[in-house]
Amino acid sequence: MRLFPTSDILTAPRIYFFANVVLFALLTCVLLYLLMQILPLSHSVAALLICFINIGFVIVFMGVCFPERVQVVWLSGYILGLFVLAHKAHKQKRSGLWALVCIVCGGASMFYKEPDCLFICGSLAMFIALRFYYGHKSRSKNKRITMPIIIVGLALGLIVCVFIGLYLWLVVPNIQKSYANFGLKNLQVAKDMLNAIAHHPFLFLFAPAVLAVRVQKVLQALKTNDTKALHTSYAFYDALLVAALAYGASFFVLMIFTPYYFFPCYVMALLPVAFYTKMYYVHLRKLFIIVVLAHILVNVPSALSRYTSIKLLPPHYLQATQFLADYTHANAGTNIVMLGQGSDPLGKAFCGYLEWFARYFGGKDFALATSPTLTAIDSLKSGDLLYLDSYTQAYITPQILARLSVDYEVIFSSGYVGFYDVGLKSLAKYLLLHYAPKYTKNLSSSNIFNAPLGVYIYRVR
């Protein structure tokens, strides 16, 4: 919109959603193809559902500006290329093409997220080392590292050097805030860490268990000279699994626990976890059942609730801004207050968006401001407006709603039906609120189950 202020913004979503569908289709096809190399179709689809009915996936693919969306598509291409080089290149005699896929996709992915350098370079270095080591121990004919893999390693190493050089030159001198200096208290860090584990049990409970079982089997094979567990093809899965966990751990070190940051780990760890779960299911069965239940009870409700909010709020927001434009056009000098929005950067951003859209649809001669509570709006005159949407919920209490019903009248409402976040976390908050309220003073919202909220416009009587 800023680059092309004269263009019709109503056509832009079509381009955006089309590109999103293409990216999602590419990711799905690549992951499904890889999974079907080791699992039947039904199990492959179930594994994909774990990835996609996931709060991280919903935020990344349904939101507007998240680099992880394109990052995971490039990552899947890199993993596909490395899989073919490790398993099938010598049969298809197209190793040069797949080496190029690895270089292009891996190199592109590095420029979306810094930890990708850790994952891609680490996974490739470990793959080469383990492939040689397993081949040496098992006396396999395929222990030799092929030239295409060496070329991929050299090319990606060069790209990493270029990336680091550009990062040190262009980014580091302009850093104003460090992730490692959030100043979070120990209790807050512990809470955020537990939230991350609860939202991603497959990553932080099951994947480490898979790695532990795998390490145990390798150690047993070395003691008993059993070469079965040291097949050279297993180097590919071992390297991906270790690198995926290292990628996730990097955010724990930085104390970043936002759910969507971990979604790339699902793409990285999906294949090795599926492969070793099939191989060692007897050892992992009980934990697998527990983790599946945890995912269903915590992650699925959060994902569906977030999906409702992200997908259904925008059209209602659009209707509200059109209504505001028509109202201000007919009522000159209207004051509009966004109730529940403070003067913080996020509040200013939402205020700016609302004003931009209202003026785009023809609104004029109005003043827009924000106020977190009702106390600052007592000076409004009859006919002025209050605006509320789901982003104002943190400040809205039953007392405020009671006063609104007396002093104001609803002239626009746009509610919608959606999923509630009826998960273990929400139920625990609900029980605390009703039976131990002294522990709920710091709740950010009374809308515990994230009920789908619409857009409301009130007028002073």
Side-chain angles (χ1 to χ4, degrees):
M1 289 189 295
R2 296 192 180 279
L3 290 176
F4 305 101
T6 58
S7 66
D8 186 355
I9 62 170
L10 296 180
T11 62
R14 298 173 187 172
I15 300 172
Y16 163 74
F17 286 118
F18 174 76
N20 223 21
V21 167
V22 171
L23 292 174
F24 175 66
L26 286 172
L27 179 66
T28 303
C29 290
V30 171
L31 294 182
L32 187 61
Y33 170 80
L34 289 170
L35 285 169
M36 289 182 64
Q37 305 307 302
I38 56 177
L39 297 174
L41 177 61
S42 58
H43 292 176
S44 299
V45 172
L48 280 184
L49 289 177
I50 290 172
C51 285
F52 295 157
I53 305 180
N54 180 304
I55 189 170
F57 168 81
V58 170
I59 294 174
V60 167
F61 267 85
M62 304 303 160
V64 175
C65 185
F66 294 92
E68 288 83 1
R69 181 190 299 124
V70 184
Q71 174 200 4
V72 294
V73 176
W74 287 119
L75 268 179
S76 67
Y78 165 75
I79 295 170
L80 173 63
L82 194 61
F83 174 84
V84 175
L85 288 179
H87 295 79
K88 298 184 176 183
H90 63 285
K91 297 178 181 178
Q92 297 181 356
K93 296 183 180 179
R94 294 180 179 175
S95 55
L97 172 63
W98 289 109
L100 183 62
V101 169
C102 268
I103 294 169
V104 172
C105 292
S109 183
M110 291 180 193
F111 284 85
Y112 280 88
K113 278 286 181 180
E114 298 96 320
D116 262 18
C117 294
L118 173 72
F119 169 74
I120 291 174
C121 295
S123 65
L124 189 57
M126 181 169 283
F127 167 67
I128 293 172
L130 288 177
R131 185 178 174 90
F132 181 83
Y133 182 72
Y134 290 166
H136 174 72
K137 286 293 182 180
S138 62
R139 297 179 178 85
S140 172
K141 294 179 181 179
N142 294 326
K143 69 180 180 180
R144 183 172 61 89
I145 306 301
T146 60
M147 184 55 66
I149 294 176
I150 294 175
I151 293 173
V152 169
L154 293 173
L156 289 177
L158 179 62
I159 292 174
V160 167
C161 291
V162 172
F163 173 82
I164 293 174
L166 290 173
Y167 197 82
L168 293 174
W169 176 35
L170 299 174
V171 178
V172 172
N174 297 302
I175 292 178
Q176 297 179 357
K177 183 178 180 181
S178 172
Y179 280 122
N181 191 27
F182 277 146
L184 295 176
K185 296 181 179 179
N186 291 335
L187 186 61
Q188 182 65 39
V189 171
K191 176 189 171 186
D192 291 343
M193 191 177 296
L194 288 174
N195 276 335
I197 295 172
H199 275 113
H200 304 293
F202 272 97
L203 286 180
F204 302 123
L205 295 178
F206 191 68
V210 171
L211 180 60
V213 172
R214 174 60 184 159
V215 170
Q216 182 186 15
K217 293 297 181 181
V218 170
L219 293 177
Q220 287 178 356
L222 292 174
K223 287 181 181 179
T224 59
N225 292 321
D226 179 13
T227 59
K228 234 168 149 185
L230 302 177
H231 196 282
T232 53
S233 63
Y234 296 172
F236 169 78
Y237 302 105
D238 291 341
L240 284 187
L241 182 56
V242 172
L245 291 175
Y247 183 101
S250 68
F251 290 110
F252 273 71
V253 172
L254 294 170
M255 294 191 295
I256 302 174
F257 305 106
T258 310
Y260 71 85
Y261 271 73
F262 300 105
F263 178 65
C265 296
Y266 283 82
V267 177
M268 302 168 186
L270 182 62
L271 204 59
V273 168
F275 182 77
Y276 287 129
T277 300
K278 179 183 178 182
M279 183 180 295
Y280 305 129
Y281 185 70
V282 174
H283 305 281
L284 297 164
R285 180 177 54 198
K286 292 181 180 179
L287 181 60
F288 180 76
I289 294 171
I290 293 172
V291 168
V292 168
L293 290 175
H295 181 81
I296 292 172
L297 294 175
V298 177
N299 210 336
V300 171
S302 294
L304 296 179
S305 174
R306 184 62 67 93
Y307 178 85
T308 297
S309 175
I310 292 176
K311 294 297 290 184
L312 297 185
L313 177 63
H316 296 264
Y317 178 84
L318 181 67
Q319 295 170 20
T321 54
Q322 290 174 319
F323 178 87
L324 282 176
D326 295 339
Y327 184 90
T328 57
H329 196 272
N331 298 273
T334 300
N335 294 307
I336 305 171
V337 174
M338 295 184 70
L339 185 61
Q341 292 294 343
S343 58
D344 55 278
L346 194 60
K348 290 181 179 178
F350 286 143
C351 184
Y353 294 148
L354 187 66
E355 181 175 8
W356 195 97
F357 276 99
R359 295 194 185 281
Y360 175 83
F361 288 118
K364 61 180 182 179
D365 194 20
F366 66 90
L368 182 63
T370 62
S371 176
T373 64
L374 278 172
T375 55
I377 61 174
D378 291 328
S379 60
L380 291 179
K381 64 181 186 299
S382 176
D384 287 342
L385 305 179
L386 293 180
Y387 170 91
L388 290 85
D389 62 27
S390 60
Y391 289 102
T392 68
Q393 59 182 296
Y395 298 95
I396 304 304
T397 64
Q399 292 77 14
I400 289 179
L401 291 175
R403 181 180 166 185
L404 288 178
S405 64
V406 174
D407 298 336
Y408 304 84
E409 61 178 330
V410 178
I411 59 173
F412 177 89
S413 64
S414 179
Y416 50 83
V417 178
F419 292 98
Y420 285 63
D421 184 3
V422 187
L424 288 180
K425 278 181 56 184
S426 303
L427 289 171
K429 289 180 181 179
Y430 178 81
L431 292 175
L432 283 174
L433 185 65
H434 284 78
Y435 298 105
K438 64 180 180 179
Y439 296 110
T440 61
K441 295 179 180 178
N442 296 324
L443 280 180
S444 60
S445 171
S446 59
N447 186 17
I448 294 174
F449 296 107
N450 289 323
L453 305 176
V455 182
Y456 298 89
I457 298 175
Y458 288 81
R459 179 170 55 192
V460 182
R461 294 184 187 277

